[in-house]
Structures are given as structure tokens and as C-alpha cells.
Amino acid sequence: MYNPVLDTFITVVDCGSFTKAAEHLYISPTAIMKQMNSLENHLNLKLIERTPSGIHLTPAGKVIYKDAKFMMDYSKKSIASANAAAVAHDTTFCVGTSLLNPAKPFMDLWYRANKDFPDYKLHLVPFEDNHEGILSEIEKLGEKFDFLIGVCDSRKWLMRCEFLPLGTYKKMIAVSRDHHLASKKFIEIEDLYGQTLMMVPSGDSGTNDFIRNDLEMNHPSIQIEDTPTFYDMTVFNRCAETGKVLLTIECWRDVHPGLVSIPVRWDYSIPYGLLYSSNAPDDVRRFVGAVAGLDDKQ
């Protein structure tokens, strides 16, 4: 950023002699003279006239002195600004947000827990709910964002991050607005007989595996169709376009305007909570601890 030899040059000028500058900088007068000779050779300019009464600036030296003072002040301000920016970055929590994993629940937590983080700010980072790329987004916890908040019962997700459960969402079904079930306030499981129920394949979610096993064993009249392992908008579009029934959750009621979500008389639910990196820094873990302690304070 700034050549430290210019500091020596400014000190020599301000002190009026090599000897006094050497005393001020705690180095020898010979070292001072060598630095000045090096600076003049580097600039190919005569900066200082040596006289028995001390040193005097040449016209070129006066210009360099003035600009060096400016550069020194500017450099200090620049470094101070950079440090401030680094501190600001260090005191910002980045929160991922998407259509299926919105940051709204995190904001509710933040306003309850942020008293212990008075200097921290939040920065929302959008990401896509692409079923082919969602795992790469989860792997960016700790880099792209500090937190996600959302439904998590996926073994593949939990292999890639830490998870603090906060509660559960009820399992519901979604149908197109012109579906014959759309007008119902509640769905009996028998209402699904003869219907095609779209849901994730078995093997990744304990909750969904349990539901699938129950339906296959006890309600074989319901035909099950596999979706991608992770929902994205294509899944909701397919439900709206085909007239099939989609297994969904209560927090996704408004994801697709062409669908109606209806509660079912069953006891199925799925956990949601706070996701963060397995290598999270101390402040992230402190926030997780603060969130975990909220229920104890109620």
C-alpha cells in the first residue's frame, strides 16, 4: 500500500536533520542516509540538499513531501476502512432463503435471540430449490451462508450439516383448485383411495418412509408415484397440471397459486429447524446455543 521509506523521508524533513531523525526512529544516521539515497535513486530525483546547518528540500523534494504526507494519511484511512469492513463482515450473519426454505422463521428467532449479538447484522442470500443442485447448496453452509432454516428429515442433508430441531410441520396434501377434493376442509385418508399420491422415494427420509410403509400396507388403494428426492417447483407444477395429489407440509400452503393445501386426519408431521455448518465458527455456535435456550426462558 505505502512505501515505508517515505515515512523515514517525512521524519527527516520534520526533524530537520539525519541525526535527529535517527534518534526519533531508533536507527543509526548511516541507515537514514542509506534509505534517503535509495529513495532518491529509485525516484531518480534529488529530494534533499545537505548543508552544515541541516537539510533543505529541493523543489522536487517539496512536491514528494507534500504528496507523501497525503499518501500516508490516505493509506492509514484505507487500512482503517478495510479493517472496519472486515469487522462488519465478521459481525454479519448470512442467512439462506428460498421459496421452500424462506428466512421468515429465522427472522422470528433473530428478534428473540439477538440481544446477545448487538453488533450483528443479517444478510439474506437467495438460493434455488433445484432438486439436482440442492445438496451443493447445503454444502455451502459456512461459506455462502451461515444458516438455513427449514424442513430437514433428509439423511443426505444431515450428512452435510448440523441441525437444531425447532419444531414440526404437519403433513398435508395439495391438489389443483379444480380437483374434486379441493373444497374439503379436512381430508379423511379414505378420500385418497383411488388417487395417485405424489411423494419422495423411500430411502432418504425416515418420516416419509414411515408414511409410505403405512400407506402401502394399510391403504393399498392409494397409488404412490415417486417425485424427485427433493421437491422443487417442477413437483408442484406437475401436481397442478396432472390432477394428482401431492404430499406436502403446512408451511408450503402458498408455494403454488394453482394448488390448495388441505389437512388430513392423520398424525404425520416432519421436523424443521436451524441448519448450520459442521465447521461453524464460534459466533454461529453461540447463536445456535442462544436459540436452543429460548424455550427454557419461556
Side-chain angles (χ1 to χ4, degrees), residues 102-123:
K104 172 64 167 58
F106 184 91
M107 300 303 296
D108 296 338
L109 289 175
W110 175 249
Y111 291 121
R112 296 173 60 199
N114 69 347
K115 63 181 180 61
D116 295 326
F117 301 84
D119 298 325
Y120 278 69
K121 297 179 176 62
L122 297 184
H123 179 69

Side-chain angles (χ1 to χ4, degrees), residues 63-80:
V63 173
I64 296 298
Y65 175 78
K66 178 181 176 182
D67 289 346
K69 292 277 283 188
F70 172 80
M71 289 171 61
M72 182 172 66
D73 292 340
Y74 187 83
S75 180
K76 289 179 179 178
K77 290 177 181 178
S78 177
I79 293 172

Side-chain angles (χ1 to χ4, degrees), residues 88 90 92 112 141 150 162 184 237 267 294:
D90 289 342
T92 298
R112 296 173 60 199
L141 278 164
E162 299 290 327
K184 287 183 172 290
N237 283 337
D267 294 324
L294 287 177

Side-chain angles (χ1 to χ4, degrees), residues 175-185 187 260-262:
V175 296
S176 61
R177 291 188 177 276
D178 58 359
H179 196 283
H180 75 274
L181 295 177
S183 61
K184 287 183 172 290
K185 292 185 177 180
I187 295 289
V260 177
S261 294
I262 311 168

